[in-house]
Amino acid sequence: MLSLRKVPWRSLIPLMLLTAGAAYALASWNWCGVWTERAPVLLSQVRGEGSLRAGAAKVALAPPFPVVVAGYSPPRPEAEQADPPVYARAVVLEAGGTRVGLVSLELLSVTSELVARVREQAAAAGLKDVLVMATHTHSSIGGYDRRLVAQLVGIGRYRQESVDAIANAAVAALTQAAGSLTDATLEVGAVREQGLVYTRSGGTPPDGVLTRAVLRGQAGPVAELLVFAAHPAMVPRKRASLDPDYPGRLSALRESEGSGVTLTLQGSAGNASVAFSQGQGLERVAGFARALAELAGKASLSPVGGPVRLSLARVEVAMPRPDASRLVPSLTRAAGDNLLCESAQRVAEVGALALGPLELVTVPGEPTMAAGQELVRRTGATGVLGLTDGYVGYVDTPGMVKEGRGESKRQYFGPTLLERLTVAAELAAGTAGFTR
């Protein structure tokens, strides 16, 4: 009978070092390839002017419980219910033969896959031009993003059932909104309260501006759009249920006050955090929603008379190569780039929406206040809608990226990201007829 000779562990060290070196070399190989730069491409455009019609609806999401709660790195809780419910809210606008749909989802983000599916199904129902937006809630349904980095960082394990539930609610809300179109008037205003928000990472502080657009029918308000910049990360992380955070509570509160279906949308929220400190836990969340509801009531609204302009342009932009230099130690830079490349999309979508005097640039990520100001300056927009039609992460200014400051520590791409998006936004704004 043969006996096995015991091998001293020290003799395995060369093999271990060789294996580790081979793994490091393999991970450091340039798997990204070349990311070609090209000019932005116009995907679609619609423009009209005339009497305004509007319809709105909201549909509760029906998550496939139990579901992972998205918003933070592991460990993540699983939820058995939603309390309060999480919704898809939609507004459909029509003027001069042009029809545009807006749908807001109480999610952390939206993916290009989800956007494409919503648009495809909405088009089958007769609605071709749609913007899909996330409220950026850090306590809602997860599992809807295929990308590995997204699953690891915040969304949780991918489940087709989650995508189905989200898309079905979004399309149902859009379809119901389109079916309820009625003659409407438009009123627009804004109000500022800087004490409610602060910058969490330096750079230009958030401006605390809440923009409000009201669509009124003959029987009363049809819908309301509220644009504000502040991270909805107020709900305690250890929760046994999904929660829409302050955007959902604000929408529900305004709706209970007779404002019609209310879409709470994110502006340049990249470095904006909530400064409200009254109460603890969910009491604080509800308090902040009430404070914003009161602020909305203070906005001085101006009626938009005569024919109303409605236009939407969408532009495809080639993304720069991912850059992990600020995210990982220098020795693992190449491996970090490869990981990002596996999950990063090579193209993204930027848009421009004009509704009367409102001229909004849409960005598929989280622009900081300074990045948003640059977009506004270059396009002549009145504001920015973040987290729209996809997600490419944070967007900070080139200077902050080169210095490794601000939100650039979380940005997946290098210093050219904002310029790429801005050039595409200029094309979209010009096509949509921004007045500058």
Side-chain angles (χ1 to χ4, degrees), residues 112-132:
S112 55
E113 175 193 19
L114 177 61
V115 172
R117 176 166 169 178
V118 170
R119 284 181 178 156
E120 180 181 4
Q121 294 182 227
L127 189 60
K128 297 181 180 179
D129 297 285
V130 174
L131 293 178
V132 184

Side-chain angles (χ1 to χ4, degrees), residues 122-323:
L127 189 60
K128 297 181 180 179
D129 297 285
V130 174
L131 293 178
V132 184
M133 297 161 283
T135 62
H136 202 42
T137 295
H138 284 60
S139 50
S140 187
I141 178 174
Y144 56 85
D145 197 326
R146 293 180 185 273
R147 295 173 295 182
L148 178 60
V149 170
Q151 293 184 56
L152 293 174
V153 172
I155 306 298
R157 183 175 60 85
Y158 180 81
R159 292 179 62 190
Q160 185 62 48
E161 298 90 340
S162 292
V163 179
D164 294 343
I166 296 166
N168 291 342
V171 173
L174 285 164
T175 302
Q176 292 177 28
S180 65
L181 283 168
T182 185
D183 293 341
T185 59
L186 173 66
E187 300 173 15
V188 176
V191 63
R192 182 193 300 264
E193 179 54 70
Q194 289 182 297
L196 296 175
V197 287
Y198 72 98
T199 176
R200 70 179 187 180
S201 57
T204 304
D207 57 15
V209 171
L210 187 150
T211 300
R212 182 184 176 202
V214 177
L215 298 153
R216 298 187 191 276
Q218 292 183 347
V222 174
E224 179 178 61
L225 307 179
L226 301 177
V227 183
F228 191 73
H231 268 82
M234 301 181 71
V235 172
R237 297 190 183 192
K238 295 182 179 180
R239 287 274 289 163
S241 59
L242 303 180
D243 194 297
D245 210 289
Y246 82 78
R249 285 172 171 78
L250 173 58
S251 292
L253 184 57
R254 295 295 298 169
E255 289 161 356
S256 70
E257 295 172 348
S259 294
V261 175
T262 298
L263 277 63
T264 299
L265 309 174
Q266 287 293 338
S268 300
N271 62 334
S273 286
V274 175
F276 188 83
S277 59
Q278 297 178 23
Q280 298 291 327
L282 296 181
E283 177 185 338
R284 177 171 172 254
V285 184
F288 185 60
R290 286 193 298 271
L292 287 180
E294 293 173 1
L295 184 64
K298 296 177 182 177
S300 179
L301 297 175
S302 299
V304 178
V308 175
R309 178 180 53 136
L310 175 64
S311 62
L312 173 64
R314 298 188 295 110
V315 171
E316 182 180 89
V317 55
M319 298 297 289
R321 191 179 186 277
D323 175 10

